[in-house]
Amino acid sequence: MGETMKIYFSITKSYALMLCVTMLVCFAMFSCVSVQQSNIHLSSESARISYLSSMGFNSPDLQESKSVILPLGFSESFEQYTDIMEKGGYGISEYKGEEVMLYTYFFSYDIVHLIEFEDRLICADCFNMKDNKIYPLKVRKNG
């Protein structure tokens, strides 16, 4: 009878272990932020202006465009930025160590950044100077 109990408990422990592992895998899969790859190609200034206009930003003034390399290790403030952007669907952290183009546009109360990798939009944000907050551009509410 003792051996039967021993086998019974070892099977139960195996099932319990498999159940725990399965639950952890499911939790990991479903709790991750879903990051969408951008299919927006902005290979020219006119394409960027058209994109900004479609988002409600008209007559932008390009203030700056420069090539930057995203750091391999993000600072705390940059980690906060990437968290905000990833919640908006931008997977900028996937481009650590890559050379990207940063375009900065000024509007009356907004500063908009477009970040491109190989002419493909990988991140777009809007810093609103009235409320002192940054938003992923595609979810920003106008007004």
Side-chain angles (χ1 to χ4, degrees), residues 51-68:
Y51 175 74
L52 288 170
S53 293
S54 75
M55 300 301 288
F57 294 96
N58 297 311
S59 304
D61 293 322
L62 175 63
Q63 184 65 27
E64 182 178 39
S65 67
K66 63 182 177 180
S67 175
V68 296

Side-chain angles (χ1 to χ4, degrees), residues 45 48 61-68 100-105 114 116:
E45 185 60 19
R48 285 184 283 281
D61 293 322
L62 175 63
Q63 184 65 27
E64 182 178 39
S65 67
K66 63 182 177 180
S67 175
V68 296
V100 299
M101 284 299 297
L102 172 64
Y103 299 92
T104 304
Y105 298 88
L114 301 179
E116 298 176 15

Side-chain angles (χ1 to χ4, degrees), residues 94-141:
E94 297 173 22
Y95 298 92
K96 288 181 179 181
E98 297 287 351
E99 184 175 354
V100 299
M101 284 299 297
L102 172 64
Y103 299 92
T104 304
Y105 298 88
F106 284 85
F107 300 88
S108 55
Y109 293 103
D110 296 312
I111 301 171
V112 174
H113 298 105
L114 301 179
I115 303 174
E116 298 176 15
F117 177 72
E118 297 177 350
D119 292 332
R120 189 173 42 122
L121 183 68
I122 62 169
C123 190
D125 70 64
C126 174
F127 176 75
N128 183 275
M129 292 180 272
K130 283 185 175 180
D131 63 10
N132 202 32
K133 290 187 179 179
I134 194 162
Y135 304 93
L137 187 57
K138 66 182 182 177
V139 297
R140 181 185 177 277
K141 296 176 182 166

Side-chain angles (χ1 to χ4, degrees), residues 5-64:
M5 291 291 281
K6 192 174 188 181
I7 292 172
Y8 173 76
F9 284 119
S10 87
I11 291 172
T12 302
K13 287 179 185 176
S14 295
Y15 282 118
L17 181 61
M18 285 189 337
L19 180 61
C20 287
V21 169
T22 303
M23 288 174 56
L24 286 173
V25 169
C26 288
F27 177 77
M29 286 174 50
F30 294 113
S31 67
C32 292
V33 173
S34 174
V35 176
Q36 304 165 357
Q37 290 295 326
S38 172
N39 291 322
I40 301 170
H41 293 273
L42 303 174
S43 57
S44 67
E45 185 60 19
S46 62
R48 285 184 283 281
I49 297 297
S50 177
Y51 175 74
L52 288 170
S53 293
S54 75
M55 300 301 288
F57 294 96
N58 297 311
S59 304
D61 293 322
L62 175 63
Q63 184 65 27
E64 182 178 39

